[in-house]
Amino acid sequence: MPPSEPNGKFERLYQETGWTLRQLAQDVNRIATEAGSPTKYQAQSTYQWCNGHIPARAVRPLILESLSRKLGRVVSHAEAGFPTPPAGASITGQGDIVAELISLGRLDMDASRRTLLSAGIFSATLTVPSWTEAIERKDLVTLDSSARVGASDVSFIRTMIKHFAKLDNSVGGKAARPSAATFLVNDVIPLLRAPARESVRADLLAAISEFCYLLGLMAVDEGAHRLAQRYYSKSLELAGGAGDPSLYSLTLRGMASQAVNAGHGPTALRLANAAADVTQRVSPNMRVHLLTQRAHSAAAAGHRSEAISLLHQAEKTLSKAEPETSKSTVPLAEQGLLDYFRAKVEYSLGDVSGSVTAMHEALEPLKGQGCVRRRILDTSWLAERQLQTGMLEEACATWSTALAEYPQVRSGRCDEQMRIMFSRLRPYLRNASAHSLYEQARNVVPAHLVAK
């Protein structure tokens, strides 16, 4: 029987969106598809939620994400009149970080659970702590005096970060993440409870923060966006515990990159700007990385003058950039980085031809380098922009370059670029170059990426 009490809280939120009943249901369906579990809600469903019907537990986060994205703020279960979720269900909770990392890492190690882990939705309204809030949480763990951490332990973790980062950059996150998660659980996390000198402990927390950041990057590469946000959240906590503003801002940069590439420009700008408070505390090299990401995010959010100004600031800072000595996940900022972000900014601002020229320049330094995945992603992006400007023959030649290297990687993002290539080529199959590339690619790319 239908409940006797309407859900006034949900009704108020619904009215605030300005949507029709059908529009809210359709947006929930869209987010469910994004999460890998399509739904078919209709206007009647929204009407029932307003009248007090409590949706299934698995659907509530989808509804809350829809409302949060529309309203531009975090909408909680309580605010929507939904039952409070079980303890530990939040990805931003601040419980025992050791237990949380063990749980997260073990799930990531388990091949049978990886599909489930990858299925979560990207949260456009995930809250992040300010730098002041992050450094207030000093006591992250309860120490166990049965073991002790030394500088050599931290050095070993940094060596492994360098190894996994190189593996990720060359062949992709799908290949590297399972072994990285195993190393995190079996070799890294036990050290968190061991006592150490204050300086060593800060170095340890910083190293584990960077490791969680790297796992977040790998998860993004596989398309596991909610999992990536969970790793990024832990990275922020650990960076605060270490008192390391550079790692804090690096993680926010990664989160902003994830958001802008997922199509959430305003969220990306919010995250990129959150790092602005510590910009003057980081190295010039890191500052260039932060400024370029902020420029891309601003452009994606429609803030033209801000995006151009941030790019100019990055150009002025570039000459001061020097290699990072303690962070394997932060490359030296060079001209190619500026060219790459100039391409992204110009495209976001509507200058497709300008973005093509800039990406051509960005790809020059990558020739002959080991960053295969980066080349595939950027070359594929360039080909799609070339096609937009009517350069079909050039686009086919560019895509052919990406296709030649594709078998070397195991990357969800590269898989998606191949799927996009097939989709863009289909209307032009009467063209000899497009038809030849399409048929060649069918023999290289997995069948599920070819399907219409």
Side-chain angles (χ1 to χ4, degrees):
M1 294 180 63
S4 57
E5 292 289 332
N7 187 342
K9 293 182 176 180
F10 186 86
E11 170 74 22
R12 283 191 292 273
L13 288 170
Y14 161 66
Q15 294 294 342
E16 189 178 348
T17 66
W19 275 339
T20 64
L21 295 170
R22 183 167 177 249
Q23 285 175 320
L24 176 55
Q26 287 178 331
D27 196 62
V28 172
N29 291 337
R30 182 180 61 80
I31 292 175
T33 300
E34 181 183 323
S37 302
T39 56
K40 296 182 179 180
Y41 289 112
Q42 299 177 355
Q44 180 65 19
S45 305
T46 306
Y47 178 77
Q48 290 174 342
W49 299 333
C50 290
N51 278 346
H53 175 78
I54 301 298
R57 178 181 294 180
V59 178
R60 294 169 208 163
L62 306 179
I63 298 172
L64 295 178
E65 180 65 23
S66 174
L67 293 170
S68 297
R69 291 182 185 182
K70 178 63 175 176
L71 299 176
R73 68 172 193 273
V74 178
V75 176
S76 68
H77 284 73
E79 187 181 358
F82 293 165
T84 304
S90 171
I91 66 171
T92 58
Q94 293 193 350
D96 183 343
I97 195 168
V98 174
E100 293 168 355
L101 282 173
I102 289 174
S103 175
L104 180 57
R106 282 180 176 166
L107 284 172
D108 209 6
M109 289 164 56
D110 186 349
S112 66
R113 299 294 301 277
R114 296 192 80 212
T115 300
L116 178 62
L117 273 173
S118 300
I121 55 171
F122 171 85
S123 175
T125 53
L126 175 68
T127 56
V128 297
S130 67
W131 174 241
T132 302
E133 293 169 335
I135 61 175
E136 285 179 351
R137 195 180 180 210
K138 294 293 186 182
D139 300 322
L140 288 170
V141 296
T142 302
L143 300 182
D144 178 356
S145 60
S146 63
R148 191 168 186 84
V149 176
S152 61
D153 296 301
V154 178
S155 178
F156 180 61
I157 294 173
R158 294 199 184 281
T159 297
M160 294 304 291
I161 291 174
K162 187 174 183 178
H163 165 72
F164 284 120
K166 184 177 180 180
L167 188 63
D168 175 52
N169 285 328
S170 59
V171 299
K174 290 174 72 173
R177 202 178 90 229
S179 53
T182 300
F183 179 74
L184 175 73
V185 170
N186 294 338
D187 297 271
V188 176
I189 295 176
L191 299 178
L192 271 173
R193 291 205 188 279
R197 296 195 315 272
E198 185 174 347
S199 60
V200 174
R201 172 148 294 278
D203 286 345
L204 175 67
L205 293 177
I208 301 176
S209 172
E210 186 176 9
F211 203 96
C212 288
Y213 166 75
L214 177 58
L215 281 161
L217 290 179
M218 293 176 176
V220 169
D221 189 52
E222 195 170 346
H225 288 292
R226 180 56 69 95
L227 176 63
Q229 288 184 303
R230 294 175 69 180
Y231 276 125
Y232 285 149
S233 293
K234 296 309 161 197
S235 179
L236 288 176
E237 288 185 56
L238 289 159
D244 191 326
S246 183
L247 278 169
Y248 171 82
S249 59
L250 171 66
T251 303
L252 285 172
R253 176 186 178 275
M255 298 176 81
S257 175
Q258 177 192 18
V260 75
N261 290 323
H264 300 285
T267 298
L269 185 58
R270 171 175 64 85
L271 292 166
N273 284 342
D277 292 341
V278 296
T279 299
Q280 299 307 315
R281 304 184 192 182
V282 303
S283 69
N285 184 64
M286 181 68 76
R287 205 171 303 142
V288 174
H289 284 281
L290 295 176
L291 287 168
T292 49
Q293 185 59 62
R294 285 179 65 195
H296 184 197
S297 301
H303 300 184
R304 184 185 189 86
S305 59
E306 181 181 358
I308 294 172
S309 173
L310 288 165
L311 264 187
H312 287 162
Q313 292 178 48
E315 289 173 356
K316 293 178 181 179
T317 309
L318 183 64
S319 61
K320 304 174 185 177
E322 296 180 352
E324 301 285 335
T325 57
S326 62
K327 295 176 180 62
S328 301
T329 54
V330 186
L332 175 64
E334 297 178 310
Q335 184 60 43
L337 177 76
L338 285 180
D339 293 332
Y340 170 85
F341 277 102
R342 185 176 294 106
K344 295 289 186 172
V345 167
E346 290 182 349
Y347 182 74
S348 295
L349 296 178
D351 185 358
V352 183
S353 295
S355 73
V356 168
T357 301
M359 188 57 80
H360 266 301
E361 294 171 354
L363 281 164
E364 278 299 316
L366 298 182
K367 291 181 178 179
Q369 300 296 318
C371 39
V372 179
R373 180 185 60 188
R374 180 79 268 153
R375 276 201 305 274
I376 294 172
L377 292 174
D378 293 355
T379 302
S380 299
W381 189 91
L382 172 60
E384 194 176 358
R385 307 290 93 77
Q386 288 174 321
L387 185 62
Q388 280 185 259
T389 58
M391 304 163 64
L392 176 59
E393 298 290 338
E394 291 87 345
C396 289
T398 303
W399 263 317
S400 293
T401 302
L403 181 64
E405 293 195 296
Y406 173 72
Q408 300 178 43
V409 300
R410 297 295 181 270
S411 162
R413 285 187 295 167
C414 290
D415 290 346
E416 177 62 12
Q417 287 302 319
M418 293 296 106
R419 187 196 65 75
I420 290 172
M421 178 187 71
F422 282 113
S423 175
R424 299 294 184 266
L425 286 174
R426 284 192 190 101
Y428 302 97
L429 290 182
R430 291 185 179 181
N431 175 276
S433 297
H435 184 268
S436 175
L437 174 60
Y438 191 93
E439 291 303 315
Q440 179 188 357
R442 288 179 63 185
N443 295 322
V444 176
V445 178
H448 71 278
L449 298 175
V450 183
K452 295 182 180 180

